[in-house]
Each structure stands twice: as C-alpha cells, then as structure tokens.
Amino acid sequence: MICLGIESTAHSFSIGIVTDNGEVLSNETDMYKPKKQGWGIIPMEAAEHHKEIKDELLKQALEKANISMKDVDIISFSQAPGLPHCLYVGLEFAKELAKKYKKPLIGVYHLIAHIEIGKLFTKSNDPIVTFTSGANTQILGFAEGKYRQFGETNDIGIGNAMDKLGRELGIGFPAGPKIEELAKKGSWTELPYTVKGMDLSFSGILSECARKFKNKEKIEDICFSFQETCFAMLTEVTERALAHTGKSEVLLTGGVAANKRLQEMLEIMCKERGAKFFVCPREYCGDCGANIAWTGLLAYKFGQKPLEPEKAEVYPRQRTDEVDVVWMK
Ligand code: ATP
C-alpha cells in the first residue's frame, strides 16, 4: 500500500510518498523564504509560494518514487494545526487529487506525524516526546487513546524564539543553526529561567537577550546563554514527564531537534535516569510530506474513516489531545 502525503502547515510545502512497510520512496520539500530580508513568515506570501510550487513538487515526488498516481492508494494532508492560509493550499490540492484519481482522503494532525515518523525511524515504542519545532513546543506522551500534553510553551515555540532572537541579532532566518554555531564560542551571562509547573515561556528570556545586545554584550555569549537556559528548561520538564508517567524512553523531534547541545542535555538526563534516548533523523525532524504520508497510512490501515472531499476542512488551532490515535489503541 502506498500513501502520498502533502505537508503545508507553515513555511514548507512538501510531498512524501511512503509504503506501508515504512519505506520512504520520496520526500520533496521546498521552503518559502520571505521576500523582505530579515522578516519572518508572511502567511499570504507563504501560501502563494505553496500554490506556485505544488504541481512541480508532485511531479518531482512521483518521478523520484518512480511511480504514477495510479500506484498511489491513499492521499493524506496536514489538516492541523498551522497557518490557515498555508493549510488551505494543502487541503485544496489534496482534495483535487483525491477527486481526480478517486483515492481515499485522510487528514493528519501534523504534530502527531512528527512523533510517528520519529518512532518509525528510531524504533522507539512508547516515548515521552520532546517536540521542539518552530511554532510548537510540547512535551507529549501517549495515554488513554491520545497523545497528552504534559507540558508546553505558554507563549511562543522554541524555534520561533530562536528565529526572533536571530532577527534581534541580525543573523537572518532560520536562525537556529547560526545560534548553535555562535553559542560554541560563547560563555555564560545571566538570563531568566521560566518553568512554571510543567509549562515554559521564552518571551521574557528573549526580551532580556535583546536588552543585553543593545548593551553591547557579546553576541556569542547571548547565544550560548539562550541555549543553555532554554534547553535546561526543556530538559527539566521532559524529566518530570518521565518520572510522572513511568515511561522509559524519550524521543526528541521537530526542527530544533537538530541542535546538538539540546540532544546532549537530554541524553545526559536520560542516562542518569536509565531511560533510552532517541533523536528523529535530521532529514525527518522538520515539516515534511513523508511524515504526513506515514501517519496517513497508519490511520487508514487502522480504520480511520476517509474524509469526503467536499466536506474536508482544516483545523488551524486544534490541540494534540483532541485527536484520536486509532493505531495505538
Ligand atoms: P511547526 O512545525 O510547529 O509548524 P515549523 O514548520 O517552523 O513549525 P520545523 O520545520 O519543525 O518548524 O522547524 C523549524 C525551526 O527549527 C526553525 O525555527 C529553525 O530555526 C529551527 N532549527 C533548525 N535547525 C536548528 C538548530 N541546529 N538548532 C536550533 N534550531 C534549529
């Protein structure tokens, strides 16, 4: 069985083709870049980018997988959560393909898709998931039919926090990899540490970084201390979720999972607790069609009812624990 997955929640438009034994036949992604230098995502511009690129990416994905639309059994798309303008481009494209080629249409919650592709590639079974992407930061674990949010950001996602810091420091977008590089040459400068119960917030830390930058503190020190502080906060909450649930695995995923210092901190914590630590492979950490295709396949195989194209919708603000996970029951 083959599923074609369409991802369009934010800056990336991606089409992945995956088989039901977990083989990724293709995973073609094109990322929108803001026209004005130094700006973050402008949703309408990003949606225009997705519209312009979608047919070409489909062609590329089919060619790379060496199949035609006839060989595709299921079409899945990122249905939630995300930027409405961007989500609608994926929805309309998926509906068009499902109708034209008469294929079942499956909506996928894209945060869960990040978890499932991570589990597929790491062979982790029932992890606490430290999900660190651009717009989202959540500490999740499966319990009673759903992925539950044990902790989350109270303001912005860690990736967006890094990108905002990047704008303040004038180092461009996306800023995560550049901050990681600069941090290697930095040393400690005091920043607020904001864990509230199981939740985190990053905007106070950002304001303090901006203040320090205006006061001519070294950019490397700001990057180093930002990482040390925010990643320690994430590690603390992840550890508490492990202790609370009694689970014995941690899976790090989302775009920020590429960061080696974050990986190192979580790994040390896991080692000390006797838990196993997994990181989703870099290629599949960020938004991609392959994770939407794989999760669409799981949902379809385990009985999730396909959507009627005319009635299919997107849910920009849906929460992880509102979604039934049929394949885990
Ligand atoms: P979401 O998936 O929540 O809609 P998104 O699409 O913006 O958000 P991803 O594609 O998962 O998120 O991740 C992008 C983020 O990852 C960016 O904010 C980027 O700065 C960050 N990032 C990428 N590489 C690194 C790195 N090495 N260190 C830290 N952050 C990184």
Side-chain angles (χ1 to χ4, degrees), residues 7 9-12 41 81-82 110-111 114 131-136 158-160 162-163 173-177 180 227 231 254-260 282 285-287:
E7 154 62 44
T9 53
H11 50 58
S12 298
I41 300 178
H110 99 109
L111 269 68
H114 280 283
F131 180 71
T132 53
S133 71
N136 295 284
I158 178 67
N160 284 0
M162 295 187 97
D163 294 334
F173 171 85
E180 181 172 18
Q227 283 203 164
F231 296 168
V256 183
N259 189 290
K260 290 278 180 289
R282 178 104 173 77
C285 266
D287 292 343

Coordinates of all heavy atoms in Angstrom, one line a residue, residues 7 9-12 41 81-82 110-111 114 131-136 158-160 162-163 173-177 180 227 231 254-260 282 285-287, ligand 1:
E7 N 2.3 18.1 3.0 CA 2.5 19.0 4.2 C 2.5 20.5 3.7 O 3.2 20.8 2.8 CB 3.9 18.6 4.8 CG 4.6 19.6 5.6 CD 3.8 20.1 6.8 OE1 3.3 19.3 7.5 OE2 3.8 21.3 7.0
T9 N 1.8 23.2 6.6 CA 1.4 23.9 7.8 C 2.0 25.3 7.9 O 1.4 26.1 8.6 CB 1.7 23.1 9.0 OG1 3.1 22.7 9.0 CG2 0.9 21.8 9.1
A10 N 3.2 25.5 7.4 CA 3.8 26.8 7.6 C 4.7 27.1 6.4 O 4.2 27.3 5.3 CB 4.6 26.8 8.9
H11 N 6.1 27.2 6.6 CA 6.9 27.7 5.6 C 7.2 26.7 4.5 O 7.7 27.0 3.4 CB 8.2 28.3 6.1 CG 8.9 27.4 7.1 ND1 9.3 26.1 6.8 CD2 9.2 27.6 8.4 CE1 9.9 25.6 7.8 NE2 9.8 26.4 8.9
S12 N 7.1 25.4 4.8 CA 7.5 24.3 3.9 C 6.3 23.8 3.1 O 5.2 23.5 3.8 CB 8.2 23.2 4.6 OG 9.3 23.7 5.2
I41 N 7.8 34.6 8.7 CA 6.9 34.1 7.7 C 5.7 35.2 7.5 O 5.1 35.6 8.5 CB 6.2 32.8 8.2 CG1 7.3 31.7 8.4 CG2 5.1 32.3 7.2 CD1 6.7 30.4 8.9
P81 N -2.3 21.4 13.3 CA -2.6 22.8 13.4 C -1.6 23.6 12.4 O -0.7 23.0 11.9 CB -2.3 23.2 14.8 CG -1.2 22.2 15.3 CD -1.4 21.0 14.4
G82 N -1.8 24.9 12.2 CA -0.9 25.6 11.4 C -1.4 26.9 10.9 O -2.5 27.4 11.5
H110 N -0.4 17.3 12.2 CA 1.0 17.2 11.8 C 1.9 17.0 13.0 O 3.0 16.5 12.8 CB 1.3 18.4 10.9 CG 2.0 19.5 11.5 ND1 3.3 19.8 11.3 CD2 1.6 20.5 12.3 CE1 3.7 20.9 11.9 NE2 2.6 21.3 12.5
L111 N 1.6 17.4 14.2 CA 2.5 17.2 15.4 C 2.6 15.7 15.6 O 3.6 15.2 16.0 CB 2.0 17.9 16.6 CG 2.5 19.3 16.9 CD1 1.9 20.3 15.8 CD2 2.1 19.8 18.2
H114 N 4.9 14.1 13.3 CA 6.3 14.3 13.7 C 6.7 13.1 14.6 O 7.8 12.5 14.6 CB 6.6 15.6 14.4 CG 6.7 16.8 13.5 ND1 7.9 17.0 12.8 CD2 5.9 17.8 13.2 CE1 7.8 18.1 12.1 NE2 6.5 18.6 12.3
F131 N 8.9 17.7 21.8 CA 8.6 18.2 20.4 C 9.0 19.7 20.3 O 8.3 20.5 21.0 CB 7.1 18.0 20.1 CG 6.8 18.4 18.7 CD1 7.3 17.8 17.6 CD2 6.1 19.6 18.5 CE1 7.0 18.2 16.3 CE2 5.8 20.1 17.2 CZ 6.3 19.4 16.1
T132 N 10.0 20.0 19.6 CA 10.6 21.3 19.5 C 10.6 21.8 18.1 O 11.6 21.6 17.4 CB 12.0 21.3 20.2 OG1 12.8 20.3 19.5 CG2 12.0 21.0 21.6
S133 N 9.6 22.4 17.6 CA 9.6 22.9 16.2 C 9.6 24.4 16.3 O 9.9 25.1 17.3 CB 8.4 22.4 15.5 OG 7.2 23.0 15.9
G134 N 9.3 25.0 15.1 CA 9.2 26.5 15.0 C 8.1 27.0 15.9 O 8.3 27.7 16.9
A135 N 6.9 26.7 15.5 CA 5.7 27.2 16.2 C 5.3 26.5 17.5 O 4.5 27.0 18.2 CB 4.5 27.3 15.2
N136 N 5.8 25.3 17.6 CA 5.3 24.5 18.8 C 6.4 24.0 19.7 O 7.5 23.7 19.2 CB 4.6 23.2 18.2 CG 3.4 23.6 17.4 OD1 2.3 23.9 18.0 ND2 3.5 23.6 16.1
I158 N 9.9 27.2 20.8 CA 11.4 27.4 20.9 C 12.0 27.8 19.6 O 12.9 28.6 19.6 CB 12.1 26.2 21.6 CG1 13.6 26.3 21.7 CG2 11.8 24.9 20.8 CD1 14.0 27.4 22.7
G159 N 11.6 27.2 18.5 CA 12.2 27.5 17.2 C 11.9 29.0 16.8 O 12.8 29.7 16.4
N160 N 10.6 29.4 17.0 CA 10.3 30.8 16.7 C 11.1 31.7 17.7 O 11.5 32.8 17.2 CB 8.8 31.0 16.9 CG 8.0 30.5 15.7 OD1 8.6 29.9 14.8 ND2 6.7 30.6 15.8
M162 N 14.0 31.2 18.7 CA 15.4 31.3 18.2 C 15.4 32.2 17.0 O 16.3 33.0 16.8 CB 15.9 29.9 17.8 CG 16.1 29.0 19.1 SD 16.9 27.5 18.8 CE 18.6 27.8 19.3
D163 N 14.4 32.1 16.1 CA 14.3 32.9 14.9 C 14.1 34.4 15.3 O 14.6 35.3 14.6 CB 13.2 32.4 14.0 CG 13.5 31.0 13.4 OD1 14.7 30.7 13.3 OD2 12.5 30.3 13.1
F173 N 17.3 34.3 8.9 CA 16.2 33.3 9.1 C 16.5 32.1 8.3 O 16.8 32.3 7.1 CB 14.9 33.9 8.8 CG 13.7 33.0 8.8 CD1 13.1 32.7 10.0 CD2 13.3 32.4 7.6 CE1 12.0 31.8 10.0 CE2 12.2 31.4 7.6 CZ 11.6 31.2 8.8
P174 N 16.3 30.9 8.7 CA 16.1 30.5 10.1 C 17.3 30.6 10.9 O 18.4 30.3 10.4 CB 15.6 29.0 10.0 CG 16.2 28.5 8.7 CD 16.4 29.7 7.8
A175 N 17.2 31.0 12.2 CA 18.4 31.4 13.0 C 19.0 30.3 13.8 O 20.1 30.4 14.3 CB 18.0 32.6 13.9
G176 N 18.2 29.2 14.0 CA 18.6 28.1 14.9 C 20.0 27.6 14.6 O 20.9 27.6 15.5
P177 N 20.4 27.2 13.4 CA 21.7 26.7 13.1 C 22.8 27.7 13.4 O 23.9 27.4 13.9 CB 21.7 26.3 11.6 CG 20.2 26.1 11.3 CD 19.5 27.1 12.2
E180 N 23.3 28.1 17.1 CA 24.1 26.9 17.6 C 25.6 27.1 17.3 O 26.4 26.8 18.2 CB 23.6 25.6 16.9 CG 24.3 24.4 17.4 CD 23.8 23.1 16.8 OE1 23.0 23.1 15.9 OE2 24.1 22.0 17.4
Q227 N 20.7 29.3 24.7 CA 20.6 27.8 24.5 C 20.7 27.1 25.9 O 19.9 26.2 26.1 CB 21.8 27.3 23.7 CG 21.6 27.6 22.2 CD 22.5 26.6 21.3 OE1 22.2 26.5 20.1 NE2 23.4 25.9 21.9
F231 N 17.3 25.2 26.9 CA 17.4 23.7 26.8 C 17.4 23.1 28.2 O 16.9 22.0 28.3 CB 18.7 23.3 26.0 CG 18.7 23.8 24.5 CD1 19.8 23.7 23.8 CD2 17.5 24.3 23.9 CE1 19.9 24.2 22.5 CE2 17.5 24.7 22.6 CZ 18.7 24.7 21.9
G254 N 11.1 17.5 15.9 CA 10.8 18.9 15.5 C 12.1 19.5 15.0 O 13.2 19.0 15.3
G255 N 12.0 20.6 14.3 CA 13.2 21.2 13.6 C 14.4 21.5 14.6 O 15.5 21.3 14.2
V256 N 14.0 21.9 15.8 CA 15.1 22.2 16.8 C 15.9 21.0 17.3 O 16.9 21.1 17.9 CB 14.5 23.1 17.9 CG1 15.6 23.6 18.9 CG2 13.8 24.3 17.4
A257 N 15.3 19.8 17.1 CA 16.0 18.6 17.5 C 17.3 18.4 16.8 O 18.1 17.6 17.2 CB 15.1 17.4 17.2
A258 N 17.5 19.2 15.7 CA 18.8 19.1 15.0 C 19.9 19.7 15.9 O 21.1 19.4 15.6 CB 18.7 19.9 13.7
N259 N 19.6 20.4 16.9 CA 20.6 21.1 17.8 C 21.4 20.1 18.7 O 20.8 19.4 19.5 CB 19.9 22.1 18.6 CG 20.9 23.0 19.3 OD1 21.6 22.6 20.2 ND2 21.0 24.3 18.9
K260 N 22.7 20.0 18.5 CA 23.5 19.0 19.2 C 23.5 19.3 20.7 O 23.6 18.3 21.5 CB 24.9 19.1 18.6 CG 25.0 18.5 17.2 CD 25.1 17.0 17.2 CE 25.2 16.4 15.9 NZ 24.0 16.4 15.0
R282 N 17.7 13.7 11.2 CA 17.7 15.1 10.8 C 16.7 15.4 9.6 O 15.9 16.3 9.6 CB 19.1 15.5 10.4 CG 19.3 16.9 9.9 CD 20.0 17.7 11.0 NE 20.3 19.1 10.5 CZ 19.5 20.1 10.3 NH1 18.2 19.9 10.5 NH2 19.9 21.2 10.0
C285 N 13.1 15.5 10.8 CA 12.8 16.3 12.0 C 11.9 17.4 11.7 O 11.1 17.8 12.6 CB 14.1 16.8 12.6 SG 14.8 15.8 13.9
G286 N 12.1 18.0 10.6 CA 11.3 19.2 10.3 C 10.0 18.8 9.6 O 9.7 17.6 9.4
D287 N 9.2 19.8 9.1 CA 8.0 19.5 8.4 C 8.3 18.8 7.1 O 9.2 19.3 6.3 CB 7.3 20.8 8.1 CG 6.8 21.5 9.4 OD1 6.7 20.8 10.4 OD2 6.4 22.7 9.4
Ligands
ATP1 P1 5.8 23.9 13.1 O1 6.2 22.5 12.7 O2 5.5 24.0 14.5 O3 4.6 24.4 12.2 P2 8.0 25.0 11.7 O4 7.5 24.4 10.5 O5 8.5 26.4 11.7 O6 6.9 24.9 12.9 P3 10.2 23.0 11.9 O7 10.3 22.9 10.4 O8 9.9 21.7 12.6 O9 9.1 24.0 12.3 O10 11.5 23.7 12.5 C1 12.0 24.9 12.1 C2 12.7 25.5 13.2 O11 13.9 24.7 13.6 C3 13.2 26.9 12.9 O12 12.7 27.8 13.9 C4 14.8 26.8 13.0 O13 15.4 28.0 13.5 C5 14.9 25.6 13.9 N1 16.2 24.9 13.8 C6 16.7 24.3 12.7 N2 18.0 23.9 12.9 C7 18.3 24.2 14.2 C8 19.4 24.0 15.0 N3 20.5 23.4 14.6 N4 19.3 24.5 16.3 C9 18.2 25.1 16.7 N5 17.1 25.3 16.0 C10 17.2 24.9 14.7

